[in-house]
Amino acid sequence: METGLLVQMLLGSLLGLSVYLPLRCGQLSLATPGFYAIGGTVAALLSTRVPALGISDATYPLTSVMLEMLLAALLTGVLALGLGRVVLRLRGIYLAIATIALVEILRVVTLNLEFTGGALGIFGIPQPFSGPEGYAALTFVVLAVVCWLCDRLEKTRPGRAMAAIRDDELAAASQGINTADTKLMAFVLSALVAGVTGVVAAHFLNSWNAKLGNFDASITTLAFVVFGGSRTWLGPVFGGLLLTALPELLRPVGDLRLIVFGAVILVGPLFFPQGLITPELFQTLRRRMGRSAAPSPQGGRP
Amino acid sequence: MSLLQVQDVGVRFGGLQALQAIDLAVQEGEIFGLLGPNGAGKTTLFNVVSGLTAASSGSVRWRGAAIDGLSSHRIARLGIARTFQNLRLFNSLSCLENVLVGMHQHGRQPPLAALLQMPTFRRRESQLRQQALELLSLFGLESAAHQNAANLSYGDRRRLEMARALASRPQLLLLDEPAAGMNPSEKDDLKNLIRRVRDEFALTVLIIEHHVPLMLGLCDRLAVLNFGQRIALGNPDQVRRDPAVIEAYLGGTP
Ligand SMILES: Nc1ncnc2c1ncn2[C@@H]1O[C@H](COP(=O)(O)OP(=O)(O)OP(=O)(O)O)[C@@H](O)[C@H]1O
Ligand SMILES: [Mg+2]
């Protein structure tokens, strides 16, 4: 497999996780591409316009990339904090529509601003690595950190509160859970992940323009989670990897590939309404493995 | 001072007066019953107390301080827990996790300790799990701890809701028809369990239940609602004999 594709797959997983975080507490937010675009724009602007960061160095310093990530996280975090307070009052499909509108507004604004390069975007973003291997390593590290955070979140009190809100928001509030704050936290985390991903993507793609955060991207990233599953962080990681790779792997099929791709996205949820990866899947696997190794102690449960 | 005081509370849904000028005072430690025919407004009163429905008039006082207008999570944190007539469990979570969510207000841990799974975090977490398991076993649900709440029988789901409500260590427990769908022997067990829980957890209980003999046997005092109005108030003997109650609710069987 091409290393460049691997980087894209890892970036896909990160965007899947960004959609997953609000969804884990029942909030269908499609704002991920918007925050992704902001992250990318921050990286593109800083690295091309601020000489002190090292654009003239032979290879762009990794510490500068880190600094961009930090600033992108700060900006997207603050934005999400403000926007989330307003849009998270909406529920279900209304939240989805409002966040799509946010992404569109952002796209149109970026398209018409002078300093973001207008429709053409920003070119010649400096490279911290000489080849895709470096990007693969960096993206992998970022993905690993985000996965670790998600795993810790799921296994602790805030994660339980998120799941409770997803199942029944009113009952969750009756257990003393501040549902508004919990949803806001998930929304902000989602924005941080998308923003940081945008920074990596901007360097990797070498150029950045408004098209990268459009409605199509909203739907594609949602498909990662619907396909992979929204109950554990492994779902969107798997969905992001697979659905990013699929169009490329299907290239030999020619024009049919888009139809096959569409069919996969359609058929997946039909047969696996919870997504491919669910906690039950792990339970089943564990039980199977337990049974082959030693008789299961709690085997005979009806 | 009463633990909970409902003062002149009215609730209007459009043209329907669901509650009208309700006055109640629940004393610490008692088991207080709410009786009344379908649609009398009992659940609506629970919703007002727990902050899910805003009263159109009147006020609710908790240890003397007004709590109307507070959001439901704030009210829960004051020590008022409830169960729901139409069961509202977290269906994708296990029984144990349902109870752990009920412990939300007591489970706060420093984020860094939680992230790094430091020993203090692990100790506290296993302590919470232990407490959750003890609660489950109090309700006979220990063997279902790792089963999804959705897979339980109806009676078990009712018991799990009680366990979850108790997990927040409330001072006041609101039970909305906890015996619905249970068979007679289960109902009997439930009665004893509610008494036991009240004593062990030093609770005050406000309970809605249609099963009149169970209520008369269980409650220290009762109020009877009909068409949104309080038509009777008193101990089981007084309520049993009240002509308005016999007329409206008991259908002539004193
Ligand atoms: N959110 C609401 N909007 C409109 N009407 C409502 C609402 N909630 C309750 N009602 C109405 O208010 C009245 C009282 O309802 P409530 O649920 O409090 O009765 P209840 O005494 O609990 O009855 P049951 O024994 O059947 O549970 C009913 O006529 C009901 O239809
Ligand atoms: Mg009711």
Side-chain angles (χ1 to χ4, degrees):
Chain A
M1 189 180 15
E2 219 185 302
T3 318
L5 177 60
L6 178 66
V7 177
Q8 284 180 8
M9 289 164 64
L10 295 170
L11 291 171
S13 286
L14 278 163
L15 291 178
L17 284 168
S18 167
V19 179
Y20 159 78
L21 281 160
L23 210 53
R24 182 116 197 306
C25 54
Q27 308 306 302
L28 180 54
S29 159
L30 297 177
T32 289
F35 293 114
Y36 172 69
I38 291 175
T41 307
V42 165
L45 284 174
L46 288 175
S47 62
T48 57
R49 308 278 160 83
V50 183
L53 286 176
I55 188 169
S56 47
D57 295 14
T59 52
Y60 189 69
L62 207 52
T63 46
S64 298
V65 178
M66 305 273 201
L67 187 70
E68 290 164 21
M69 285 186 187
L70 194 72
L71 291 174
L74 218 63
L75 181 63
T76 49
V78 169
L79 260 174
L81 209 57
L83 290 172
R85 267 190 209 294
V86 183
V87 294
L88 287 172
R89 291 190 196 150
L90 301 170
R91 272 155 223 275
I93 198 74
Y94 300 102
L95 174 63
I97 291 170
T99 49
I100 289 174
L102 278 179
V103 171
E104 278 303 291
I105 291 169
L106 195 76
R107 187 179 65 87
V108 173
V109 168
T110 324
L111 210 56
N112 288 290
L113 280 180
E114 199 67 49
F115 74 97
T116 56
L120 291 175
I122 299 166
F123 292 93
I125 298 172
Q127 302 289 303
F129 307 109
S130 52
E133 293 77 19
Y135 282 105
L138 175 65
T139 320
F140 183 80
V141 170
V142 175
L143 180 62
V145 170
V146 174
C147 286
W148 174 70
L149 284 172
C150 287
D151 188 61
R152 292 311 303 147
L153 190 68
E154 279 174 23
K155 295 196 170 119
T156 52
R157 178 172 172 269
R160 283 195 292 265
M162 283 165 67
I165 293 171
R166 175 194 58 203
D167 278 7
D168 189 332
E169 186 168 345
L170 189 148
S174 295
Q175 312 307 315
I177 293 171
N178 186 335
T179 54
D181 281 4
T182 308
K183 290 192 283 185
L184 189 61
M185 176 199 75
F187 188 72
V188 170
L189 286 177
S190 158
L192 295 182
V193 173
V196 169
T197 308
V199 171
V200 182
H203 287 282
F204 174 66
L205 296 175
N206 197 5
S207 72
W208 195 259
N209 65 57
K211 268 210 299 279
L212 287 157
N214 62 9
F215 177 63
D216 281 7
S218 291
I219 297 307
T220 314
T221 45
L222 177 63
F224 295 167
V225 186
V226 172
F227 188 82
S230 61
R231 300 272 305 283
T232 115
W233 57 270
L234 273 163
V237 170
F238 178 76
L241 289 175
L242 192 74
L243 292 190
T244 314
L246 203 57
E248 298 304 315
L249 299 179
L250 286 174
R251 219 170 257 289
V253 201
D255 286 344
L256 262 179
R257 72 195 174 101
L258 289 179
I259 297 176
V260 177
F261 182 65
V264 169
I265 293 187
L266 181 71
V267 168
L270 273 179
F271 287 95
F272 303 94
Q274 301 261 14
L276 248 46
I277 309 227
T278 59
E280 287 77 23
L281 179 73
F282 290 113
Q283 275 174 14
T284 316
L285 284 178
R286 218 174 292 142
R287 221 173 298 146
R288 290 245 172 88
M289 289 200 286
R291 198 165 292 163
S292 56
S296 158
Q298 43 174 357
R301 194 187 285 154
Chain B
M1 190 196 306
S2 315
L3 183 69
L4 179 79
Q5 203 165 2
V6 174
Q7 287 176 329
D8 197 29
V9 161
V11 173
R12 183 170 264 292
F13 294 119
L16 177 85
Q17 189 78 43
L19 285 178
Q20 198 177 342
I22 298 294
D23 277 303
L24 287 178
V26 180
Q27 307 305 327
E28 201 150 4
E30 73 180 337
I31 299 183
F32 192 104
L34 276 182
L35 275 174
N38 290 112
K42 306 179 296 293
T43 299
T44 304
L45 186 61
F46 268 26
N47 288 345
V48 170
V49 171
S50 54
L52 299 179
T53 299
S56 323
S57 58
S59 86
V60 180
R61 291 178 173 275
W62 173 252
R63 298 189 185 284
I67 59 166
D68 22 24
L70 289 188
S71 52
S72 52
H73 77 268
R74 300 274 306 278
I75 291 183
R77 288 179 188 190
L78 289 175
I80 302 179
R82 68 169 293 174
T83 66
F84 295 91
Q85 180 174 357
N86 47 351
L87 293 166
R88 305 190 76 137
L89 289 165
F90 306 120
N91 280 323
S92 74
L93 302 184
S94 70
C95 296
L96 182 70
E97 286 169 322
N98 267 274
V99 176
L100 285 171
V101 172
M103 292 175 165
H104 185 80
Q105 355 170 5
H106 307 291
R108 188 184 291 279
Q109 295 231 51
L112 199 65
L115 269 180
L116 302 177
Q117 301 187 59
M118 303 207 290
T120 51
F121 165 81
R122 286 163 186 261
R123 223 174 298 133
R124 181 83 184 101
E125 195 76 357
S126 73
Q127 217 174 38
L128 289 173
R129 267 165 198 277
Q130 195 50 46
Q131 284 169 12
L133 284 171
E134 278 163 22
L135 265 173
L136 283 174
S137 61
L138 182 63
F139 288 87
L141 291 167
E142 67 276 21
S143 62
H146 297 286
Q147 231 166 307
N148 260 15
N151 301 337
L152 296 182
S153 73
Y154 195 71
D156 280 346
R157 278 193 274 171
R158 288 234 168 266
R159 281 181 277 267
L160 179 57
E161 267 222 344
M162 286 181 64
R164 181 182 70 179
L166 279 178
S168 64
R169 285 186 249 143
Q171 296 156 53
L172 176 66
L173 178 62
L174 310 176
L175 298 172
D176 198 345
E177 304 199 14
M182 291 188 178
N183 63 38
S185 92
E186 280 182 310
K187 280 183 181 164
D188 229 36
D189 292 345
L190 185 75
K191 188 164 94 180
N192 296 328
L193 192 58
I194 292 172
R195 278 223 186 86
R196 185 172 151 205
V197 158
R198 188 259 313 251
D199 297 339
E200 264 179 39
F201 293 75
L203 273 179
T204 307
V205 178
L206 185 54
I207 175 173
I208 297 174
E209 190 43 68
H210 281 294
H211 192 65
V212 177
L214 181 147
M215 288 290 268
L216 294 179
L218 172 69
C219 298
D220 302 311
R221 285 195 308 145
L222 298 116
V224 184
L225 301 187
N226 197 20
F227 294 116
Q229 286 177 312
R230 198 195 78 195
I231 58 169
L233 176 72
N235 63 34
D237 263 345
Q238 291 166 324
V239 167
R240 200 197 317 255
R241 299 212 170 86
D242 195 304
V245 176
I246 296 167
E247 161 91 31
Y249 188 63
L250 300 181
T253 46

